[in-house]
Amino acid sequence: MASMDAATILVRPATRDDAGAIARIYNEGIRGRGATFETRERAVADVAAWFDDPRFPILVAVEQGAVVGWAAASTYRARACYAGIAEYSIYVATAHHGRGVGRLLMPAFLEALEAAGFWKVLSRLFPENTASRALCRRFGFREVGVYARHGQLDGAWKDVVIVERLLGAAAR
């Protein structure tokens, strides 16, 4: 496993100009079948639309000018009572797996979520996605439970582990 020199990775807010790189990395994850039920690859325009709601942070990790990972928040539920809860996704380029990119993205992402007024962030992970589960544990997420047979991927039922982390005043 290659080690990473954290000094070579910059985490910054994403811009629409990053949509192509974000889509490329997301599509690697979709093709890999280890992190999402999604099977339809995303076009650059699909990702560019994420920037239409500035309330939701999107960050990228950049090494030598190339985006190597990203983190994005999205709506949890439409009801007003859930306005302070965000769902999240973090994806790392396949060539950078195991190099600590997620460990650099997550703290900046959590800070951006809190600054944006969110009091909770959550996601659902495949149980066998040990890297994502370890990242969540490292940054104080708790595993709430398991949704059994939450969806099918390539014709097979898959469970998901629900993870959440409180932010700001809710965490204190």
Side-chain angles (χ1 to χ4, degrees):
M1 186 180 304
S3 65
M4 179 186 67
D5 177 5
T8 68
I9 303 283
L10 167 71
V11 174
R12 63 165 172 76
T15 69
R16 283 185 193 272
D17 290 341
D18 297 315
I22 292 169
R24 178 185 47 78
I25 293 167
Y26 190 22
N27 290 337
E28 286 179 354
I30 291 169
R31 286 189 299 271
R33 299 295 201 261
T36 181
F37 284 109
E38 294 292 344
T39 57
R40 181 184 64 82
E41 292 191 19
R42 297 307 192 262
V44 174
D46 295 326
V47 173
W50 298 356
F51 293 89
D52 291 346
D53 190 342
R55 190 170 100 86
F56 294 103
I58 306 170
L59 302 181
V60 290
V62 179
E63 183 177 45
Q64 296 177 349
V67 174
V68 298
W70 57 268
S74 60
T75 301
Y76 167 63
R77 298 280 187 267
R79 293 172 55 193
C81 61
Y82 297 127
I85 302 173
E87 287 199 49
Y88 84 91
S89 295
I90 290 184
Y91 283 80
V92 174
T94 304
H96 284 74
H97 283 184
R99 294 190 54 214
V101 175
R103 287 193 311 270
L104 292 173
L105 274 167
M106 186 64 88
F109 185 58
L110 293 172
E111 186 177 301
L113 285 163
E114 192 168 326
F118 291 99
W119 66 75
K120 182 188 285 192
V121 59
L122 55 81
S123 194
R124 288 166 305 281
L125 313 172
F126 292 151
E128 63 275 11
N129 189 343
T130 56
S132 289
R133 291 176 75 184
L135 181 68
C136 285
R137 278 191 299 278
R138 176 184 205 116
F139 287 98
F141 284 77
R142 74 181 186 107
E143 292 189 355
V144 178
V146 175
Y147 286 139
R149 296 183 172 214
H150 197 61
Q152 288 188 4
L153 183 60
D154 298 330
W157 287 106
K158 292 187 70 74
D159 298 346
V160 291
V161 176
I162 308 142
V163 295
E164 71 174 6
R165 186 177 188 279
L166 298 175
L167 303 168
R172 291 190 278 280

